[in-house]
Amino acid sequence: MKIAIVEDDINMRKSLELFFSDQEDLEVVAFKSPKDALKALDASFELIITDINMPQMDGLEFLRQLEGRYEAIVITGNATLNKAIESIRLGVKDFFQKPFKPELLLESIYRSKRVLEFHKIHPPKSKTPKTQEFFRASSKALEEVQKQALKAAATDASVFLQGPSGVGKEVFAHFIHEHSKRKDAPFVAINMAAIPEHLLESELFGYEKGAFTDATSAKAGLFESAHKGSVFLDEISEMPLKLQSKLLRAIQEKEIVRLGSHKPIKIDVRFIAATNTNIHEKIAAKEFREDLFFRLQTIPLHIPPLKERQEEILPLAEWKLQEVLQTYNLGKKSFSKGAQECMLNYSWHGNIRELLCVVERAAILSEGEQISQKDLFLERS
């Protein structure tokens, strides 16, 4: 297994290299910065171990640029809850706070190694087509938001979804679209944090031939492609300030202008936006336009975290377990009483996203027909 360690602290970097040198089945390559790593990473690497606080580019931005191509583990000396949650959102499997026991990190590495080897030997069977079943479990808190969402769906009003990472904001955006008069038209989801800033404007608004060096032909933007349908603007708080005025105009005037053109193009779309940050703090810091916020949040919907929807935890876990068992032909498995209690008592800072990830890993790595509390690996150092 080939591992990249990205760590700016030379003492930590060398210590980890020395510790792993005894593991003959692990090939470790260390980098002092994410930028150095990005130049060298290729398909031969399988796992990334990265610090978060580093000069020029932090570990989270580094992981965003990797776009989930590798298994990832985070190590940091400045752990915060927000960073841990953001790491989970980016697909990180474990999060270690310095100082930590290197033996625990090694255990985590071998868990990832076993999962990767399993996927190579047992490629997933093709999944059945998606149905319109949006919610696999229910709770009083969820049902209340669903009622509000159905009322919003019957209109063309802009909807602003708020809630922490992993609660299902994109699921709600799909739910609103599919229950609206626009359901037969496109649903276009755009993650503002996933598109590099220098490409975002052309992706959203399109461009004409010759608008920039590589523009060899005209291209419609995502807003045009969603005509008559719905646009979901995920992580809207990450939208660059200079583009916010163009989005405001698109909402107010129902028209956009491609890059390299002065000709307005009419669009008919319904905007649904979402964020997991405190948007009011962004507005106060002059990082987000207040007038745009008011346009986007005609109907505000707050989706509560999983810890406030406890009735959903075990049904969601069971649904995911059965899906994984079927996908990989793993036979019969079930959760022990201890595992169920552990899941009910865990905080789930990464919400539904974290729960589904934990269940999939436990289903693959557990031995026998019963998944124990230990198989969940929820007691992290």
Side-chain angles (χ1 to χ4, degrees):
M1 183 183 200
K2 192 172 181 180
I3 302 170
I5 296 177
V6 186
E7 169 63 75
D8 63 320
D9 184 325
I10 187 170
N11 292 325
M12 173 61 76
R13 192 167 66 246
K14 293 299 182 183
S15 295
L16 290 175
E17 283 184 291
L18 181 62
F19 178 78
F20 292 133
S21 63
D22 293 333
Q23 310 300 320
E24 295 182 357
D25 56 344
L26 301 181
E27 178 185 353
V28 174
V29 182
F31 302 94
K32 64 181 180 181
S33 74
K35 290 191 174 181
D36 288 346
L38 288 171
K39 294 176 184 177
L41 289 174
D42 56 28
S44 66
F45 287 88
E46 294 180 290
L47 175 67
I48 307 296
I49 300 173
T50 182
D51 195 359
I52 290 183
N53 296 306
M54 293 180 284
Q56 297 184 321
M57 179 188 295
D58 74 4
L60 296 181
E61 178 57 32
F62 171 55
L63 291 172
R64 286 191 195 97
Q65 294 204 21
L66 295 180
E67 297 179 331
R69 293 194 299 274
Y70 309 96
E71 292 281 297
I73 297 171
V74 161
I75 55 175
T76 180
N78 298 285
T80 66
L81 179 58
N82 286 339
K83 287 179 179 177
I85 293 172
E86 180 67 6
S87 297
I88 293 168
R89 190 188 69 79
L90 293 170
V92 169
K93 296 301 186 292
D94 272 311
F95 188 97
F96 291 88
Q97 184 173 3
K98 302 174 186 176
F100 56 85
K101 294 180 180 179
E103 293 82 5
L104 295 176
L105 176 58
L106 188 61
E107 288 179 9
S108 179
I109 289 170
Y110 278 112
R111 284 198 295 272
S112 293
K113 186 173 185 289
R114 288 170 61 192
V115 171
L116 287 169
E117 289 173 347
F118 177 88
H119 284 155
K120 290 177 182 176
I121 298 171
H122 305 280
K125 296 187 296 184
S126 58
K127 294 184 178 180
T128 54
K130 289 185 178 179
T131 67
Q132 296 304 319
E133 185 179 352
F134 295 93
F135 305 99
R136 302 288 178 170
S138 190
S139 64
K140 290 182 179 179
L142 181 68
E143 289 171 0
E144 184 58 37
V145 185
Q146 284 176 313
K147 290 178 183 177
Q148 297 173 29
L150 285 172
K151 291 180 180 178
T155 74
D156 261 344
S158 297
V159 178
F160 198 86
L161 302 170
Q162 285 191 279
S165 286
V167 293
K169 294 188 287 294
E170 185 165 354
V171 173
F172 264 97
H174 272 285
F175 179 76
I176 290 168
H177 173 75
E178 290 296 331
H179 287 84
S180 74
K181 63 183 181 182
R182 298 176 179 270
K183 65 181 181 179
D184 295 323
F187 173 88
V188 176
I190 307 162
N191 188 319
M192 294 297 172
I195 303 175
E197 184 174 339
H198 67 283
L199 297 177
L200 189 56
E201 184 174 7
S202 61
E203 286 293 316
L204 297 180
F205 296 95
Y207 53 82
E208 295 293 342
K209 181 179 180 180
F212 47 86
T213 304
D214 295 326
T216 56
S217 61
K219 179 184 176 183
L222 293 172
F223 289 163
E224 280 183 74
S225 65
H227 189 60
K228 298 292 185 180
S230 303
V231 169
F232 174 52
L233 303 171
D234 197 9
E235 299 195 51
I236 185 64
S237 59
E238 302 301 316
M239 187 178 203
L241 196 59
K242 66 179 183 180
L243 287 185
Q244 292 177 24
S245 59
K246 291 195 71 170
L247 175 58
L248 179 62
R249 177 175 175 80
I251 297 172
Q252 290 180 162
E253 307 299 329
K254 300 187 184 302
E255 64 182 29
I256 56 97
V257 177
R258 291 181 180 178
L259 281 175
S261 173
H262 297 289
K263 180 183 177 182
I265 300 173
K266 287 292 182 182
I267 58 170
D268 176 13
V269 299
R270 197 259 187 86
F271 287 95
I272 305 170
T275 183
N276 58 12
T277 63
N278 188 323
I279 194 70
H280 297 289
E281 290 181 359
K282 289 271 190 178
I283 293 171
K286 305 296 183 183
E287 295 174 356
F288 199 85
R289 295 181 60 123
E290 188 174 36
D291 50 358
L292 176 58
F293 169 66
F294 288 134
R295 281 286 183 178
L296 290 170
Q297 73 115 37
T298 303
I299 301 178
L301 289 180
H302 177 75
I303 305 173
L306 187 58
K307 65 183 179 182
E308 295 177 16
R309 299 153 53 184
Q310 199 176 48
E311 308 100 298
E312 298 176 51
I313 293 175
L314 294 184
L316 280 171
E318 184 60 34
W319 164 74
K320 182 62 178 179
L321 174 61
Q322 296 308 316
E323 181 186 68
V324 174
L325 296 179
Q326 181 180 4
T327 299
Y328 297 111
N329 196 25
L330 294 176
K332 292 183 178 180
K333 293 194 180 190
S334 61
F335 295 108
S336 69
K337 189 69 174 177
Q340 292 178 16
E341 291 176 356
C342 180
M343 288 189 288
L344 288 172
N345 293 326
Y346 185 66
S347 297
W348 298 115
H349 296 304
N351 294 289
I352 297 172
R353 184 181 290 114
E354 183 182 10
L355 171 63
L356 301 184
C357 179
V358 166
V359 170
E360 180 170 8
R361 181 175 62 184
I364 292 172
L365 297 183
S366 59
E367 302 289 345
E369 294 188 355
Q370 193 166 72
I371 296 173
S372 69
Q373 178 178 343
K374 185 178 179 181
D375 293 323
L376 300 174
F377 296 107
L378 292 177
E379 299 299 326
R380 296 193 180 96
S381 174

